[in-house]
Amino acid sequence: MIWIFLLLLIAFVVLAYVAGRALAVRRSQGAKSHSRPSQHGLYALIWVGAPALAMLIAASLFSTSIEQQMMRAGAPDSVAQLEPFRREAFFADARLVGAGQEARQIWPAPYAEELPAEGRRAHRIASTLSWGGGVAALIAAVLGGLFVLTRIRPDLRARNKVEGWITGVLFACSVVAVLTTLGIIFSLVIDSLRFFSMVPITEFLFGTKWSPQIAIRADQVGSSGAFGAVPLFAGTFLIMLIAMAVAAPIGLFSAVYLSEYSGRKTRAMVKPALEVLAGVPTVVYGFFAALTVGPALRVFFNGIGDMLVGGPLNGLGVYLSLVQNQMALVAGAVMGIMLIPFVSSLSDDILNAVPQSLRDGSYAMGATKSETVKKVLLPAALPGIAGALLLAVSRAIGETMIVTMAAGLAANLTLNPLETVTTVTVQIVTLLTGDQEFNSPKTLAAFGLGLTLFVVTLLLNIVAMRIVQAYREQYD
Amino acid sequence: MKSRILRAPEGTSNGGASEPATLTTVPTVGAHASAPMGPIKIAARDVSVFYGDKQALFDVSLDIPDKTVTALIGPSGCGKSTFLRTMNRMNDTIPGTRVTGRIEMDGGDINDRKIDPVLLRAQVGMVFQKPNPFPKSIYENVAYGPKIHGLASTKGEMDEIVQKSLKRAGLWDEVADRLHSPGTGLSGGQQQRLVIARAIAVEPEVILMDEPCSALDPIATAKIEELIDELRERYCIVIVTHSMAQAARVSQRTAFFHMGKLVETGDTEEIFTNPRERRTLDYITGRFG
Ligand SMILES: Nc1ncnc2c1ncn2[C@@H]1O[C@H](COP(=O)(O)OP(=O)(O)O)[C@@H](O)[C@H]1O
Ligand SMILES: [Mg+2]
């Protein structure tokens, strides 16, 4: 039903554009008009489209509550006397029946008898409302059109007005993004404050025991739970270090190769390949880590361990032969692989921003390629590369999927890459999946962790962006 | 140190190229002109340069004498920079570039497969249009070449090289008290003299300059021109310039290029007062370019 109105509206809008343009031509009578005819057309289009659109949005916002009011107002006594939530469920079923579908519940008498009649009434109300909305939109469009047709004159500054509207729409879009972010931060802060009212912030930041399980009944053993996040920070840090140890050199050197050594043809092949790698979903890296790299490394370490058992390094051998699939090394290494394209494409941009004149200067001094890279390009690009690496660190810290699948869940406080560790992101996932009650510290702890993560990555990003920005300006 | 790479052993050189005498007798457009100048340092014969399929230089033959400033003039895009870059093989660093013909320095072919362009460039310094000091200290900038080529074995020797080069470039007095501050912090004219100091620190024999003053103000330009005149005593200098007045002021020899071809070459005075080619006259009197 509503699409008839939409088609009509589109026709109106097109008509407004054409009419506005024609009118502008006619009324200018060959004299010089301030704006071009098509700008008058756009101006008319906006004045027809915008009121109609506003009306449609308003109708869809309010129609639900109006419908509920009307259903309640006209309900038969038996239904009106139901408890509120039963009544609403009845209306919902009436709506379904009215739309020709099955009711979700089986209603006993006398409600069952009322259902068909109520269904028809719901249907009537719904169609009245949608017709009402559509007609209102059309009226708004017509009024807007009548108004604008009187205003099209040669001296109307249609160009500026259209520009103003476009600016407004673009601004509104950016405001949506900013406001959403602010809203997220706000809720993060509020819920974190609730968490820190239950668990002291010092315990959270400096405690070394993480065990968020809280018993459901107060008399259960271990009912208190421990919220010292240091093991999580350490695990996050360890995995980040391993990832950067993989990603920084490989990414940087491949960027050096791409920007300084490779020919145009190689570059044209390797660069897109790296970018494809950057588009692989992290969950794919995750199961690559969990199902391929993890077992392979376990077999490798167990093999070494078996060889050492009984020898002078017996203790180490026993330890190695018991290494498990899930360890920090696996998650870190695979995360490093994930970050290689990120690091290399950023570093490549940064190396390309180093002016060609510096390369020429170095080559003209009789420097070789590697001397030029080592002594001129890398020092010149260092600040930018540092920024790029910080951005990579911030991604490593926030990465969730790979660690969830490959690092394990045990909150061990260790820097041994062969142990299972857990990270801030993994704990947020485990805290918020499965059954939960919203007010327990166990659930709220996720917000505390989220806020910490947010603050750290935000700071890292700000610092990194500053560095990269300052670096770019240096050569502008 | 002198001619360390180009003096090919007797008998291995190609086609008697080790006798510079044969080269100086090859007639060039300006061969009749005579001016007080050193022996022929660089001799280009039928040099053509291609960027991909596009030919930028057509059969250029030109003799460049030692201890002399030779100016390359011509409208922009006529191939002056391209020709300049053939003399230190900087065209090698541009992908898809092909050079044909012979360029001989002290009688040896610089395009010979035995010649390492990296070493050639230590012998033929280059100064670019825009000052391009490395983002390092003034000292490190000048020491860059000597370090790469192992010219100093002690800190004292390096200090000496740096001081001598800065003095020759006429920059010492201005930077002696801040050798360790960044070279990029100097003024444009100072940066250009720093770059010249950097080039002479490796004891080159030839210095190529590609419009070295086009980014500088008149006072800095005057200083560089003065410096070029002093450097002439020691080096063979080739300078590209689009300023007629500059060519007249600093050079003894001038070569006029047009559309990738060498139109006319001779003593600067000759070229500016009595050019033999119509196109040269038109150019120096400002009728085109
Ligand atoms: N790297 C390059 N790739 C392709 N064409 C080039 C390149 N450098 C110069 N050219 C072309 O070669 C011609 C000569 O250029 P150039 O030697 O820079 O002229 P000049 O220095 O006299 O202004 C010009 O047509 C220019 O477009
Ligand atoms: Mg040029």
Side-chain angles (χ1 to χ4, degrees), chain A residues 264 357-358 360-368 371-372 375-376 379-380 474-475, chain B residues 90 93 95 118 121 124 126 128 132-136 144-145 148-149 198-199 202:
Chain A
R264 214 168 287 168
S357 68
L358 288 186
D360 288 343
S362 176
Y363 292 139
M365 293 298 301
T368 62
E371 282 164 346
T372 302
K375 298 196 165 167
V376 176
Q474 183 189 337
Y475 291 120
Chain B
M90 275 296 276
T93 65
V118 160
R121 287 177 202 140
V124 183
M126 188 162 191
F128 298 83
N132 58 352
F134 302 136
K136 297 169 178 281
Y144 184 77
I148 284 176
H149 299 290
R198 184 175 77 190
V202 288

Side-chain angles (χ1 to χ4, degrees), chain A residues 119-198:
Chain A
R120 280 192 298 280
R121 194 165 67 91
H123 182 71
R124 257 197 325 276
I125 291 176
S127 62
T128 312
L129 277 174
S130 69
W131 270 89
V135 169
L138 280 185
I139 291 174
V142 169
L143 288 180
L146 288 179
F147 168 76
V148 80
L149 291 186
T150 64
R151 298 219 14 192
I152 288 179
R153 294 214 321 253
D155 64 343
L156 176 72
R157 305 178 144 259
R159 176 179 19 231
N160 313 43
K161 301 210 158 163
V162 169
E163 278 302 306
W165 273 92
I166 291 175
T167 314
V169 169
L170 297 182
F171 176 73
C173 290
S174 64
V175 163
V176 167
V178 171
L179 283 186
T180 317
T181 315
L182 284 181
I184 291 173
I185 296 174
F186 184 72
S187 83
L188 209 51
V189 169
I190 295 294
D191 286 317
S192 300
L193 286 179
R194 277 171 61 198
F195 171 66
F196 290 129
S197 71
M198 300 178 199

Side-chain angles (χ1 to χ4, degrees), chain A residues 302 304-306 308-310 313-323:
Chain A
N302 289 356
I304 294 184
D306 291 344
L308 293 179
V309 168
L313 291 173
N314 186 40
L316 181 64
V318 170
Y319 174 75
L320 285 181
S321 62
L322 293 176
V323 161

Side-chain angles (χ1 to χ4, degrees), chain A residues 180-453:
Chain A
T180 317
T181 315
L182 284 181
I184 291 173
I185 296 174
F186 184 72
S187 83
L188 209 51
V189 169
I190 295 294
D191 286 317
S192 300
L193 286 179
R194 277 171 61 198
F195 171 66
F196 290 129
S197 71
M198 300 178 199
V199 175
I201 188 163
T202 45
E203 187 201 323
F204 175 73
L205 286 181
F206 304 113
T208 56
K209 189 168 176 338
W210 178 263
S211 149
Q213 304 314 325
I214 290 186
I216 294 170
R217 295 190 322 276
D219 56 336
Q220 257 177 319
V221 227
S223 62
S224 60
F227 292 96
V230 169
L232 311 190
F233 299 150
T236 307
F237 186 71
L238 174 64
I239 287 184
M240 181 274 285
L241 271 190
I242 298 171
M244 291 311 291
V246 172
I250 298 183
L252 186 56
F253 293 156
S254 65
V256 167
Y257 173 74
L258 278 184
S259 91
E260 305 303 321
Y261 286 82
S262 72
R264 214 168 287 168
K265 267 192 212 144
T266 328
R267 189 185 162 83
M269 273 168 28
V270 176
K271 190 123 207 223
L274 274 177
E275 258 138 41
V276 167
L277 214 58
V280 175
T282 55
V283 67
V284 175
Y285 284 107
F287 66 67
F288 174 61
L291 300 182
T292 311
V293 181
L297 282 182
R298 179 183 52 99
V299 168
F300 173 73
F301 284 118
N302 289 356
I304 294 184
D306 291 344
M307 283 191 298
L308 293 179
V309 168
L313 291 173
N314 186 40
L316 181 64
V318 170
Y319 174 75
L320 285 181
S321 62
L322 293 176
V323 161
Q324 294 297 307
N325 275 352
Q326 295 194 319
M327 49 178 141
L329 183 62
V330 175
V334 173
M335 193 192 288
I337 293 170
M338 177 195 84
L339 289 175
I340 287 172
F342 184 70
V343 171
S344 88
S345 100
L346 274 177
S347 308
D348 184 52
D349 290 348
I350 283 159
L351 283 172
N352 279 330
V354 175
Q356 180 62 27
S357 68
L358 288 186
R359 291 182 187 85
D360 288 343
S362 176
Y363 292 139
M365 293 298 301
T368 62
K369 229 168 209 179
S370 67
E371 282 164 346
T372 302
V373 167
K374 198 173 74 193
K375 298 196 165 167
V376 176
L377 294 184
L378 286 184
L382 192 62
I385 289 172
L389 291 182
L390 279 188
L391 284 180
V393 165
S394 137
R395 276 199 56 176
I397 291 176
E399 166 54 34
T400 310
M401 216 56 220
I402 296 175
V403 274
T404 307
M405 294 171 82
L409 289 174
N412 290 324
L413 180 51
T414 175
L415 284 179
N416 179 351
L418 303 184
E419 292 282 332
T420 77
V421 296
T422 191
T423 68
V424 173
T425 50
V426 170
Q427 286 307 309
I428 294 177
V429 171
T430 44
L431 288 174
L432 291 186
T433 45
D435 290 340
Q436 48 192 296
E437 26 174 350
F438 195 70
N439 253 332
S440 84
K442 173 178 182 270
T443 309
L444 289 175
F447 290 96
L449 290 176
L451 185 65
T452 318
L453 197 63

